[in-house]
Amino acid sequence: MTARSTRRSATTRSRIAAVGAIAVAGTLLLTGCGDQTKNKDRGSGDTSAPLADSLPDEIRQAGVIKVGSDIAYAPVEFKDKSGKTTGIDPDLADAMGKQLGVRFEFENGTFDALLTGIRSKRYDVAMSAMTDNKSRQQGVDPHTGKKVGEGVDFVDYLTAGVSIYTRKGQTGGITGWPDLCGKKVAVERGTVSEDLAKIEAKKCPSGKKLTIEAFDDDQQAQTRLRSGGVDAVSSDFPVAAYAVKTSGGGKDFEIVGDQVEAAPYGIAVAKGNEQLRNALQAAMTAIIKSGEYQKILDKWGAGDGAVKESVINGGK
């Protein structure tokens, strides 16, 4: 999770975040995707909160919602200099936690394993700039069309698109996806960016192969671009914009072309867990109505991606 074209298909998926300039700056403290980093200071744990009774009994009694997240995706979720989990998603979770009387405990994991973590009950939900689309809802592999799981439900909360960026002053003539033919692009594994790159690779003419390098997290892709190992990186717009703003003091990268594939971010919840899903939707609706939601998005430069209401499974 646009100044963009919109050609989303049911086969694509992403982590996208919003139109508008990213107004935040600062140095990103990275965390390894394999870490299990728990952020225990979020939420009130107050069972007298307005929506506490809407939660499943076991979660209300525990006072915790366990969240699977790839916490290396600034400004959506990342570690600040003190090691605290921060960003758009954690701030929204904080606000929702006050409505629900629980804290949201973020655990770090690789992005492409988050839905598996929900199925295994390692996490109650996944909140990680995850695009809501039909393939995820249905548990279908977007490339093969084969069933790979029972699917998840999404509580939608933001709209965003996908961008391409290059080394600053070294665009190589790249202005959009077709220009990647004959070049190398780095992406995060399991994202819409990887899906789009694979789709584009099939369209490239003979002798102009698009080489795709997929990494466990976006920071690795950025490092590869910074070193000159690839020609471009694709990621969600807010992440691309944040990288352009902060890396090398704004001297490392530049965004090329328009955003594409505008779609909603959603909080993923296991099929059959309607009570938790509906409680999360009620909490998101409450902070949207109170105005706290818009303040959080504006804080991170993502206000243009705000939604007027939270819906369930709004992705296509």
Side-chain angles (χ1 to χ4, degrees):
M1 207 88 58
T2 18
R4 55 193 111 184
S5 62
T6 55
R7 56 184 176 94
R8 170 160 294 279
S9 72
T11 62
T12 55
R13 71 118 277 172
S14 162
R15 316 180 40 153
I16 307 165
V19 186
I22 297 298
V24 291
T27 303
L28 192 60
L29 182 64
L30 303 183
T31 173
C33 280
D35 296 345
Q36 295 306 312
T37 305
K38 296 185 179 181
N39 193 45
K40 296 181 180 294
D41 57 352
R42 298 197 168 272
S44 65
D46 181 4
T47 54
S48 66
L51 296 173
D53 288 343
S54 66
L55 286 168
D57 288 343
E58 62 273 19
I59 288 180
R60 186 173 68 251
Q61 291 170 9
V64 174
I65 293 176
K66 295 180 181 179
V67 183
S69 188
D70 172 16
I71 311 174
Y73 211 64
V76 187
E77 49 260 320
F78 65 104
K79 297 285 185 178
D80 65 15
K81 291 182 179 180
S82 70
K84 180 181 178 181
T85 301
T86 190
I88 296 169
D89 283 352
D91 280 1
L92 290 174
D94 263 353
M96 294 169 68
K98 292 172 185 174
Q99 294 290 325
L100 295 165
V102 296
R103 75 176 186 272
F104 284 68
E105 187 174 275
F106 280 71
E107 296 192 14
N108 196 31
T110 52
F111 185 77
D112 61 354
L114 296 181
L115 296 186
T116 301
I118 293 176
R119 288 197 292 271
S120 68
K121 299 186 178 180
R122 180 174 187 169
Y123 315 124
D124 297 311
V125 303
M127 190 174 186
S128 191
M130 184 175 289
T131 296
D132 171 8
N133 59 33
K134 292 298 182 185
S135 61
R136 279 210 183 83
Q137 294 171 23
Q138 297 167 358
V140 172
D141 185 301
H143 302 294
T144 66
K146 294 182 179 179
K147 189 80 170 174
V148 293
E150 59 271 26
V152 293
D153 285 333
F154 285 97
V155 177
D156 295 345
Y157 64 96
L158 190 67
T159 301
V162 178
S163 291
I164 299 169
Y165 59 101
T166 67
R167 291 186 299 283
K168 195 162 190 174
Q170 301 179 53
T171 65
I174 299 170
T175 61
W177 285 90
D179 300 323
L180 292 175
C181 292
K183 301 184 185 299
K184 295 180 181 180
V185 62
V187 297
E188 181 174 355
R189 189 174 290 109
T191 63
V192 113
S193 291
E194 183 180 26
D195 290 342
L196 289 175
K198 288 179 177 179
I199 291 169
E200 199 62 50
K202 293 178 180 178
K203 301 176 184 176
C204 290
S206 178
K208 295 193 71 176
K209 179 183 177 182
L210 167 54
T211 301
I212 303 166
E213 296 188 9
F215 295 90
D216 283 341
D217 65 57
D218 198 72
Q219 297 305 318
Q220 294 172 352
Q222 290 180 24
T223 298
R224 183 68 168 150
L225 176 61
R226 197 178 291 111
S227 69
V230 294
D231 300 292
V233 168
S234 175
S235 61
D236 295 356
F237 173 74
V239 177
Y242 188 90
V244 168
K245 178 77 173 179
T246 61
S247 182
K251 297 179 180 179
D252 286 349
F253 305 133
E254 65 177 282
I255 290 178
V256 294
D258 294 332
Q259 295 179 61
V260 299
E261 305 301 327
Y265 278 171
I267 304 171
V269 185
K271 292 286 189 186
N273 201 349
E274 288 88 358
Q275 188 175 358
L276 176 57
R277 180 198 68 189
N278 294 344
L280 293 171
Q281 184 191 29
M284 185 64 72
T285 297
I287 66 172
I288 289 172
K289 289 182 177 179
S290 73
E292 189 170 7
Y293 166 83
Q294 189 67 52
K295 290 179 181 178
I296 290 169
L297 297 191
D298 289 343
K299 168 187 172 182
W300 293 104
D304 287 348
V307 297
K308 293 182 179 179
E309 63 177 342
S310 175
V311 301
I312 292 172
N313 294 335
K316 301 185 183 302

